[in-house]
Amino acid sequence: MKAIGPYHYKVWVIGEVLDRYEECKNGARLPKGKLFIEIVGKEFRKNRNAYFERFVIYAVDLEKIIESLESPLKEVIKGRYFEADVSTFMKDFGIKSRREARRIITRAVNKFFHELEKRRLSKVTPL
């Protein structure tokens, strides 16, 4: 099996965090509660050469991170354009250059992931 790259790792982490956040918003947890994040299941860890960990972050902190991003980075994260095809983002934002659209999406992923890393409350036992 191939090892995953840093970008794809960040996309999976962000996707997992946003999934947990949406569960929280839909009433599964308290809106200001802690989100316990576990990145990808056991079956995936066995087949890939990547470091996965558990961590805790407050839902309120996640909202602050999202709101602190400038436009269009905020929209990329909120709309989950990083999980979709680049052409969708290009069409929705009127961008003509595929390269420019990818640059914006990559920048949004990197910036959001960096902010998550800074605000992470505490590490829980590694998997």
Side-chain angles (χ1 to χ4, degrees):
M1 291 281 162
K2 295 180 181 178
I4 63 169
Y7 176 78
H8 291 99
Y9 173 73
K10 291 174 185 180
V11 166
W12 280 319
V13 169
I14 293 170
E16 183 70 21
V17 167
L18 292 178
D19 287 344
R20 298 296 164 109
Y21 176 67
E22 288 169 5
E23 288 174 11
C24 178
K25 277 185 13 183
N26 293 333
R29 294 190 179 92
L30 295 174
K32 296 182 194 266
K34 294 178 184 177
L35 303 177
F36 294 93
I37 310 299
E38 182 176 335
I39 311 306
V40 187
K42 275 186 184 176
E43 68 284 345
F44 187 79
R45 283 194 313 272
K46 284 190 257 179
N47 297 327
R48 302 287 183 169
N49 298 323
Y51 178 72
F52 297 97
E53 60 184 34
R54 297 177 185 157
F55 65 91
V56 178
I57 189 166
Y58 285 103
V60 194
D61 289 338
L62 192 58
E63 290 170 353
K64 288 179 185 175
I65 293 171
I66 292 171
E67 291 307 314
S68 72
L69 296 173
E70 64 269 7
S71 186
L73 305 184
K74 182 190 314 185
E75 288 78 16
V76 169
I77 299 300
K78 278 185 168 181
R80 297 182 92 146
Y81 285 104
F82 56 89
E83 294 177 329
D85 186 46
V86 177
S87 58
T88 305
F89 178 69
M90 291 171 62
K91 185 169 60 169
D92 289 353
F93 284 83
I95 299 172
K96 303 283 187 224
S97 168
R98 194 170 195 77
R99 174 185 253 174
E100 178 67 16
R102 282 191 186 140
R103 187 187 68 74
I104 292 170
I105 292 171
T106 302
R107 188 166 162 236
V109 166
N110 289 334
K111 176 85 170 161
F112 188 75
F113 187 82
H114 177 70
E115 291 299 320
L116 274 179
E117 286 288 306
K118 284 187 351 187
R119 299 246 179 120
R120 191 165 55 172
L121 179 65
S122 64
K123 286 188 180 181
V124 182
T125 314
L127 301 176

